Amino acid sequence: MEINWYPGHMARAKRLLSDQLSRVDVVIELCDARLPRSSRNPDLMRLTEKKEKVLLLGKSDLADPALTKQWTRRFQQEGARCLALDMNRQAKAALALIEQAARETVDRAAQRGIKKTVRAMIVGVPNVGKSTLINRLHGGAVAKVGDMPGVTRANQWVKVTPYLELMDTPGLLWPRLDDPLAARRLAYIAAIRDEVLDTAQLAIQLLTDLIAAAPEAVQARFKIDDLSLRGPELLDAVCRGRGFLMKGGVCDTDRACRIVLDEFRAGKLGRITLEAPGEENGNE
Ligand SMILES: Nc1nc2c(ncn2[C@@H]2O[C@H](COP(=O)(O)OP(=O)(O)O)[C@@H](O)[C@H]2O)c(=O)[nH]1
Ligand SMILES: [Mg+2]
């Protein structure tokens, strides 16, 4: 499993991905609609220069619909074939875009009298929904789905339509650890494992970012009355608000941390997107 992204892991992931990419006609890049900038990886652009591409913004059911519209428009203006979707309900909508991306390859082969089967693969950072997309396109369970990043098997091809085959192992893209803001946001959506981070610090930062992005939702969900609080006091406020108190009225901050992260990830605060196109450095 690619977990900590030590240099060795990173080099192995890069080699594996270039090898996988060399065997496909179409690359389906999947990012998270709540983080359309940070959950992409600029390295992919370089690795896929000569490929036909599709860009999908997954988990759109968890993202702010207005911002999702802005992001898809922005990517389309940049020339991307782009679509935002809730993978559990709308995955098949991606087929039309994949077909578009493959058309030229298919037509060129047809001119030479060949009926071409297009091969595609899905790439993305951990936890964006790659396995879910494979399973939904295929119509049955193929790829392992779970919250843990990584899991690689021998490559096989899954027939999705009579002319389209999908690599059954998604391409694992390394998260952007060079950019601290992006890395932090990737941790919010569990694209980087909690174990390698200071959970309390992460929960405090998430709360702070959520107060900026959706103050009413934070107030309603975590029962924090004073939104000017910062640092560890935010966690104490969650403990008091939600009644996470131990013997003697001591705050159970571990529980508050878990709840803050889990409930944001599950969309319990409503549909929140943490970055907008245009603000290049996010909301800091
Ligand atoms: N709400 C929501 N959850 C999704 C969506 N796509 C995937 N998930 C969930 O996200 C988690 C990670 O998905 P998975 O396919 O394993 O991601 P992978 O690591 O990229 O292969 C799982 O719990 C999925 O059920 C989506 O569009 N909306
Ligand atoms: Mg997976």
Short mmCIF file of all heavy atoms in Angstrom, two decimals, residues 30 58-62 85-88 125-133 144-150 170, ligand 1:
data_model
loop_
_atom_site.label_atom_id
_atom_site.label_comp_id
_atom_site.label_asym_id
_atom_site.label_seq_id
_atom_site.Cartn_x
_atom_site.Cartn_y
_atom_site.Cartn_z
N LEU A 30 -9.79 11.37 -12.25
CA LEU A 30 -10.87 11.58 -11.28
C LEU A 30 -10.34 12.43 -10.12
O LEU A 30 -9.32 12.10 -9.52
CB LEU A 30 -11.36 10.22 -10.76
CG LEU A 30 -12.47 10.22 -9.72
CD1 LEU A 30 -13.70 10.96 -10.20
CD2 LEU A 30 -12.85 8.77 -9.37
N GLY A 58 -15.62 13.85 -8.99
CA GLY A 58 -16.47 12.92 -8.26
C GLY A 58 -16.98 13.52 -6.95
O GLY A 58 -16.58 14.60 -6.55
N LYS A 59 -17.87 12.79 -6.29
CA LYS A 59 -18.45 13.21 -5.01
C LYS A 59 -19.14 14.56 -5.13
O LYS A 59 -19.13 15.37 -4.18
CB LYS A 59 -17.38 13.23 -3.89
CG LYS A 59 -16.61 11.90 -3.80
CD LYS A 59 -15.99 11.66 -2.46
CE LYS A 59 -15.15 10.38 -2.47
NZ LYS A 59 -14.66 9.97 -1.18
N SER A 60 -19.73 14.84 -6.28
CA SER A 60 -20.40 16.13 -6.47
C SER A 60 -21.59 16.27 -5.52
O SER A 60 -22.04 17.36 -5.23
CB SER A 60 -20.86 16.30 -7.92
OG SER A 60 -21.88 15.39 -8.21
N ASP A 61 -22.10 15.14 -5.02
CA ASP A 61 -23.21 15.19 -4.05
C ASP A 61 -22.76 15.80 -2.72
O ASP A 61 -23.58 16.21 -1.91
CB ASP A 61 -23.78 13.79 -3.81
CG ASP A 61 -22.70 12.78 -3.40
OD1 ASP A 61 -21.66 12.71 -4.08
OD2 ASP A 61 -22.90 12.09 -2.39
N LEU A 62 -21.43 15.85 -2.49
CA LEU A 62 -20.92 16.42 -1.24
C LEU A 62 -20.43 17.86 -1.44
O LEU A 62 -20.08 18.54 -0.48
CB LEU A 62 -19.76 15.57 -0.71
CG LEU A 62 -20.07 14.10 -0.40
CD1 LEU A 62 -18.81 13.37 0.06
CD2 LEU A 62 -21.17 14.00 0.67
N LEU A 85 -19.94 14.52 -11.11
CA LEU A 85 -20.99 13.53 -10.86
C LEU A 85 -20.89 12.83 -9.51
O LEU A 85 -19.83 12.79 -8.88
CB LEU A 85 -21.05 12.49 -11.99
CG LEU A 85 -19.93 11.49 -12.25
CD1 LEU A 85 -20.21 10.70 -13.50
CD2 LEU A 85 -18.60 12.15 -12.38
N ASP A 86 -22.06 12.36 -9.07
CA ASP A 86 -22.16 11.53 -7.88
C ASP A 86 -21.98 10.10 -8.38
O ASP A 86 -22.82 9.58 -9.09
CB ASP A 86 -23.55 11.73 -7.26
CG ASP A 86 -23.85 10.71 -6.16
OD1 ASP A 86 -23.03 9.80 -5.93
OD2 ASP A 86 -24.93 10.83 -5.55
N MET A 87 -20.86 9.52 -8.00
CA MET A 87 -20.47 8.24 -8.59
C MET A 87 -21.45 7.12 -8.26
O MET A 87 -21.57 6.17 -9.01
CB MET A 87 -19.08 7.88 -8.07
CG MET A 87 -18.20 7.28 -9.11
SD MET A 87 -18.22 8.22 -10.63
CE MET A 87 -16.91 9.39 -10.30
N ASN A 88 -22.13 7.25 -7.13
CA ASN A 88 -23.04 6.18 -6.76
C ASN A 88 -24.32 6.19 -7.58
O ASN A 88 -25.03 5.20 -7.65
CB ASN A 88 -23.37 6.26 -5.26
CG ASN A 88 -22.17 5.83 -4.43
OD1 ASN A 88 -21.54 4.81 -4.70
ND2 ASN A 88 -21.81 6.65 -3.44
N VAL A 125 -5.84 10.49 -7.00
CA VAL A 125 -5.23 10.31 -5.68
C VAL A 125 -6.11 9.38 -4.85
O VAL A 125 -7.26 9.10 -5.24
CB VAL A 125 -5.02 11.68 -4.96
CG1 VAL A 125 -4.10 12.59 -5.77
CG2 VAL A 125 -6.33 12.37 -4.66
N PRO A 126 -5.61 8.88 -3.73
CA PRO A 126 -6.40 7.95 -2.92
C PRO A 126 -7.76 8.52 -2.49
O PRO A 126 -7.88 9.71 -2.22
CB PRO A 126 -5.51 7.71 -1.69
CG PRO A 126 -4.12 7.92 -2.17
CD PRO A 126 -4.23 9.03 -3.19
N ASN A 127 -8.75 7.64 -2.50
CA ASN A 127 -10.06 7.93 -1.89
C ASN A 127 -10.98 8.84 -2.69
O ASN A 127 -11.99 9.29 -2.17
CB ASN A 127 -9.88 8.47 -0.46
CG ASN A 127 -11.08 8.20 0.41
OD1 ASN A 127 -11.68 7.11 0.32
ND2 ASN A 127 -11.46 9.16 1.21
N VAL A 128 -10.66 9.14 -3.94
CA VAL A 128 -11.55 10.00 -4.73
C VAL A 128 -12.71 9.22 -5.34
O VAL A 128 -13.66 9.83 -5.86
CB VAL A 128 -10.81 10.77 -5.86
CG1 VAL A 128 -9.98 11.90 -5.29
CG2 VAL A 128 -9.99 9.84 -6.72
N GLY A 129 -12.64 7.88 -5.32
CA GLY A 129 -13.75 7.09 -5.85
C GLY A 129 -13.40 6.29 -7.10
O GLY A 129 -14.29 5.89 -7.86
N LYS A 130 -12.13 6.02 -7.29
CA LYS A 130 -11.69 5.31 -8.50
C LYS A 130 -12.30 3.90 -8.58
O LYS A 130 -12.83 3.51 -9.61
CB LYS A 130 -10.15 5.19 -8.52
CG LYS A 130 -9.44 6.54 -8.52
CD LYS A 130 -7.93 6.39 -8.56
CE LYS A 130 -7.31 5.69 -7.35
NZ LYS A 130 -7.55 6.42 -6.08
N SER A 131 -12.22 3.17 -7.47
CA SER A 131 -12.75 1.80 -7.48
C SER A 131 -14.26 1.81 -7.66
O SER A 131 -14.82 0.97 -8.37
CB SER A 131 -12.39 1.08 -6.19
OG SER A 131 -11.00 1.05 -6.01
N THR A 132 -14.91 2.78 -7.03
CA THR A 132 -16.36 2.91 -7.17
C THR A 132 -16.73 3.13 -8.64
O THR A 132 -17.66 2.50 -9.15
CB THR A 132 -16.87 4.09 -6.31
OG1 THR A 132 -16.43 3.91 -4.97
CG2 THR A 132 -18.38 4.19 -6.34
N LEU A 133 -15.99 3.98 -9.31
CA LEU A 133 -16.27 4.26 -10.72
C LEU A 133 -16.11 3.00 -11.58
O LEU A 133 -16.96 2.69 -12.42
CB LEU A 133 -15.36 5.39 -11.22
CG LEU A 133 -15.45 5.74 -12.71
CD1 LEU A 133 -16.88 6.09 -13.13
CD2 LEU A 133 -14.52 6.90 -13.04
N LYS A 144 -11.58 -3.40 -5.48
CA LYS A 144 -11.79 -3.30 -4.04
C LYS A 144 -12.11 -1.85 -3.67
O LYS A 144 -11.39 -0.93 -4.03
CB LYS A 144 -10.52 -3.76 -3.35
CG LYS A 144 -10.64 -3.96 -1.86
CD LYS A 144 -9.31 -4.56 -1.36
CE LYS A 144 -9.12 -4.33 0.12
NZ LYS A 144 -10.16 -4.87 0.97
N VAL A 145 -13.19 -1.66 -2.93
CA VAL A 145 -13.57 -0.32 -2.52
C VAL A 145 -13.37 -0.18 -1.02
O VAL A 145 -13.69 -1.07 -0.26
CB VAL A 145 -15.06 -0.04 -2.82
CG1 VAL A 145 -15.44 1.38 -2.43
CG2 VAL A 145 -15.34 -0.27 -4.31
N GLY A 146 -12.81 0.92 -0.60
CA GLY A 146 -12.64 1.12 0.84
C GLY A 146 -12.04 2.48 1.09
O GLY A 146 -11.72 3.20 0.17
N ASP A 147 -11.90 2.82 2.33
CA ASP A 147 -11.37 4.14 2.66
C ASP A 147 -9.85 4.17 2.67
O ASP A 147 -9.25 5.22 2.75
CB ASP A 147 -11.90 4.59 4.02
CG ASP A 147 -13.26 5.23 3.87
OD1 ASP A 147 -13.52 5.77 2.79
OD2 ASP A 147 -14.04 5.18 4.82
N MET A 148 -9.23 3.01 2.61
CA MET A 148 -7.77 2.96 2.67
C MET A 148 -7.17 3.18 1.30
O MET A 148 -7.58 2.55 0.34
CB MET A 148 -7.31 1.58 3.19
CG MET A 148 -7.67 1.35 4.63
SD MET A 148 -6.87 2.55 5.68
CE MET A 148 -8.25 3.06 6.67
N PRO A 149 -6.20 4.09 1.21
CA PRO A 149 -5.57 4.30 -0.09
C PRO A 149 -4.71 3.11 -0.52
O PRO A 149 -4.21 2.38 0.31
CB PRO A 149 -4.68 5.54 0.14
CG PRO A 149 -4.58 5.72 1.60
CD PRO A 149 -5.71 4.98 2.25
N GLY A 150 -4.58 2.96 -1.80
CA GLY A 150 -3.66 1.93 -2.30
C GLY A 150 -4.31 0.59 -2.54
O GLY A 150 -5.40 0.50 -2.47
N PRO A 170 -7.13 0.79 -10.81
CA PRO A 170 -6.99 2.23 -11.08
C PRO A 170 -5.55 2.69 -10.91
O PRO A 170 -4.77 2.06 -10.19
CB PRO A 170 -7.91 2.88 -10.06
CG PRO A 170 -8.13 1.89 -8.99
CD PRO A 170 -7.89 0.53 -9.58
N1 LIG B 1 -20.86 10.52 -1.41
C1 LIG B 1 -20.08 9.94 -2.33
N2 LIG B 1 -19.22 8.98 -1.95
C2 LIG B 1 -18.45 8.41 -2.90
C3 LIG B 1 -18.51 8.79 -4.27
N3 LIG B 1 -17.60 8.06 -4.95
C4 LIG B 1 -17.00 7.25 -4.03
N4 LIG B 1 -17.49 7.46 -2.80
C5 LIG B 1 -17.06 6.82 -1.52
O1 LIG B 1 -15.71 7.22 -1.28
C6 LIG B 1 -14.97 6.18 -0.62
C7 LIG B 1 -13.73 5.86 -1.41
O2 LIG B 1 -14.07 5.29 -2.66
P1 LIG B 1 -13.09 4.33 -3.48
O3 LIG B 1 -13.80 3.97 -4.74
O4 LIG B 1 -12.60 3.21 -2.64
O5 LIG B 1 -11.88 5.34 -3.78
P2 LIG B 1 -10.44 5.03 -4.42
O6 LIG B 1 -9.47 5.00 -3.29
O7 LIG B 1 -10.17 6.21 -5.32
O8 LIG B 1 -10.54 3.75 -5.19
C8 LIG B 1 -15.93 5.00 -0.52
O9 LIG B 1 -16.50 5.02 0.77
C9 LIG B 1 -16.99 5.31 -1.59
O10 LIG B 1 -18.23 4.73 -1.28
C10 LIG B 1 -19.44 9.83 -4.65
O11 LIG B 1 -19.56 10.27 -5.81
N5 LIG B 1 -20.19 10.36 -3.63
#
